[in-house]
Amino acid sequence: IIELDIRNPDVSRRLGLNNNQGITLYLSGNLDKEDLIKPSGIHDNISIINSGAIPPNPNELLAKELLDDLIKELKQEYDFIIIDTPPIGLVSDSFLLNRIADVNLYLVRIGLTPKKYVLDADRYFNENRLKKMYFILNSVDLNSVEYRYGFAKKYQYGYK
């Protein structure tokens, strides 16, 4: 897991990890790769690269070729690399990071994610601003009126 939502890091906090050193120090040239990757504390097979201190120049750091080189090296070492980014469209970071992603997963939470954000993400994909986009719908209440398999065996789903 690479925490690249460097403006508003949340993964390290949720995992209870110290976020003093991370990718921002590495991209600034102040941290070695060996000190960058840490155990996640979730599972022995999951490592994390946390964000580190919030920099004054996030776009400059995320645009560095050093990040591209790091991702290429990590692809040789790890089966999967999950990159946490800011929400699409709120800041330009997600568009900037699209260059290093093989797939973009857009998490949509029922009752929380505004429909406009989903429509915007779809538009960005159709404009070729994002590649290979998939939506993950979570927090679906299968007993809700909006989600049911009705009498006529007709699948119905409503989105507010």
Side-chain angles (χ1 to χ4, degrees), residues 1-4 23 48-49 70-71 74 81-84:
I1 299 172
I2 305 176
E3 184 176 35
L4 285 180
I23 193 84
I48 186 167
I49 297 176
L70 175 66
I71 297 297
L74 293 174
I81 299 171
I82 298 170
I83 300 174
D84 179 50

Side-chain angles (χ1 to χ4, degrees), residues 4-5 7 13 25 37 49-50 62 67 72-73 79 82 90-92 100 104 112 120 130 138 142 156 159:
L4 285 180
D5 185 353
R7 297 171 196 264
R13 182 186 60 77
L25 282 178
I37 303 169
I49 297 176
N50 58 341
L62 296 176
L67 178 59
K72 286 176 189 169
E73 289 177 34
D79 294 328
I82 298 170
L90 295 182
V91 291
S92 62
I100 60 172
N104 290 289
L112 186 65
D120 287 346
L130 295 168
N138 70 7
L142 298 178
Q156 298 176 346
Y159 186 77

Side-chain angles (χ1 to χ4, degrees), residues 77-109:
E77 298 175 38
Y78 292 90
D79 294 328
F80 300 99
I81 299 171
I82 298 170
I83 300 174
D84 179 50
T85 67
I88 296 172
L90 295 182
V91 291
S92 62
D93 298 1
S94 298
F95 297 114
L96 186 60
L97 294 170
N98 188 52
R99 74 184 192 282
I100 60 172
D102 293 327
V103 172
N104 290 289
L105 301 176
Y106 193 98
L107 295 164
V108 177
R109 185 171 178 183

